[in-house]
Amino acid sequence: MASSKSTSNRMLYAGGGLLLVLLVAGGLGWQLGWFGGGERGLQVESERAERRTITEVVTAFGRAQPEVEVEISPDVSGEIVELPVKEGDVVQQGDLLARLKADDYRAAVERAEAGVSEAKATLAQRRADSVQARRTYDRQKKLYEKEVVSASDFEDAKSTYEQAVAQLQAARFRVESARADLQDAREQLQKTRIYAPMSGTLTRLEVEEGERVVGTQQRAGTEMMRVSRLGQMELEVDVNESDVVNVASRDSATIEFDAHPDRSFQGAVTEIANSARIQNEGSQNEVTNFPVTIRVLDNPNTGLTSGDEGAIARPEVPREGARSPVIRPGMSGAVDIYTETAEEAVAVPIQAVTVRDFAKTRSGDASGAAAQGDGAAEDLRRVVFVAEGDSARMVEVNTGIADDTYMEITAGLEGGETVITGPYSAVSRELEPGMKIQTGEQEGQSGETIAMTQ
């Protein structure tokens, strides 16, 4: 009885184990496509290639500044005794901005005037001396001709006369020098009054009444203030060396300031620097940028538009009722420069474009190419994989401009094809020509797309 029960248990265990093996083998066979409908293929995502308008954009950041800004520095040194302006004032050309203590310079003018008077008196004295020496010379000459005086007396008279003439000439030059010194002293005195060189807004005031400033003729002295024309503003942005080649003069742009997050302004490229600004030179963080100047076309500070002839040179005309400028010097902003547009271009998602080594493709597979040795030349080309039924076909393509979503295909596709867009591992590594796939097509977004490079 016990033997019969033991035999039944062994048979039960054996049947259970066989059933488990069959279940595992069935699941594995289903996954490998041995049965149950054949090979399922690699699960991929896809999207249809469509014609779109793509605009390439270069994004950069910078700060606002006036197109015309003049730094005011004194030409003479002294103490500020009058400062009738304050920062933000609108001034006209010729308005008094500051006055320096002029006591020393006024005294210098008086000394120079006295020097001119002294030089004139000396000139009169030398003129009288020359007249007297001329008379003596003429008299001695007549007496010498009559042999009344000796030759030595005649030579002495002649020498005295020539010296008097030379001294007279020197006195004339001293008068001219004294007059020049007087003119210089008067100019120095006049420079103690500082006037506005142009009409504009006082955008920076660095000094206060009572401070001392230093001025020199050869180099700039103490910066006192700045006068700017806020009627035409611009931004100077740093564009990376890889993007600056795509930027051209007069390219349109959109400007957004951090101070006005809900408002954008139109702009245009006016200047592209030829020399780069290199940051962290010699280090791993080295960055090479080129300054690019963007003019704000719809500047709200004065209401001037890009169509106004000579707008940059016009005196400032504030908007009626405006209390302060909308765009201030130093405001930070972002600029989108529209560099190129392709209309009705065949476009595919960026992630659909990948690179394959055609040298490996011609050899049959990657292992065959590896067998050729490390010295085998690569033949890298851009491709997309097109879903045709349940298999993938590799198509070599030529690409054009790209945006943050789509890339232009200039050759290889006609539009309407279903291209494989993901997953990334499948597109970049796993997919091979003719591989079985299962697609999940995504709905494409037609219309216009804008590139974003930074």
Side-chain angles (χ1 to χ4, degrees), residues 12 26 64 66 72 87 96 112 117 150 160 180 187-189 225 236 238 274 288 296 300 320 349 359 375 410 424 431:
L12 182 62
I72 308 298
E87 187 169 337
L96 178 66
S117 300
S150 63
T160 301
E187 290 180 356
Q188 296 294 311
L189 177 60
M225 60 193 76
E236 184 176 273
D238 289 331
N274 292 321
T288 302
V296 183
E320 183 178 357
T410 59
Y424 173 78
L431 280 176

Side-chain angles (χ1 to χ4, degrees), residues 204-222:
R204 180 178 295 183
L205 184 62
E206 301 285 355
V207 295
E208 293 184 3
E209 185 174 338
E211 292 186 14
R212 292 190 62 86
V213 294
V214 178
T216 60
Q217 296 288 345
Q218 290 76 21
R219 54 187 177 181
T222 305

Side-chain angles (χ1 to χ4, degrees), residues 171-241:
R172 291 193 179 102
F173 290 146
R174 280 193 292 271
V175 170
E176 293 179 2
S177 176
R179 286 173 175 171
D181 291 340
L182 176 59
Q183 179 65 23
D184 181 65
R186 286 174 175 171
E187 290 180 356
Q188 296 294 311
L189 177 60
Q190 186 178 8
K191 289 177 180 177
T192 59
R193 291 177 173 268
I194 301 171
Y195 299 95
M198 68 176 189
S199 300
T201 301
L202 200 66
T203 53
R204 180 178 295 183
L205 184 62
E206 301 285 355
V207 295
E208 293 184 3
E209 185 174 338
E211 292 186 14
R212 292 190 62 86
V213 294
V214 178
T216 60
Q217 296 288 345
Q218 290 76 21
R219 54 187 177 181
T222 305
E223 181 182 345
M224 299 177 63
M225 60 193 76
R226 293 186 183 183
V227 177
S228 307
R229 283 183 179 157
L230 302 183
Q232 192 62 63
M233 300 292 290
E234 64 184 13
L235 271 79
E236 184 176 273
V237 298
D238 289 331
V239 178
N240 190 268
E241 59 181 331

Side-chain angles (χ1 to χ4, degrees), residues 158-171:
K158 181 179 180 181
S159 176
T160 301
Y161 169 66
E162 291 175 349
Q163 290 177 8
V165 172
Q167 291 174 356
L168 175 62
Q169 187 66 19

Side-chain angles (χ1 to χ4, degrees), residues 89-126:
D89 285 351
V90 176
V91 298
Q92 301 298 322
Q93 184 176 4
D95 286 353
L96 178 66
L97 301 180
R99 186 169 62 86
L100 306 181
K101 189 175 182 180
D103 294 352
D104 295 339
Y105 299 99
R106 191 173 293 109
V109 170
E110 294 174 355
R111 286 194 299 269
E113 291 175 345
V116 171
S117 300
E118 181 181 2
K120 289 181 178 180
T122 302
L123 175 61
Q125 181 181 359
R126 297 306 179 195

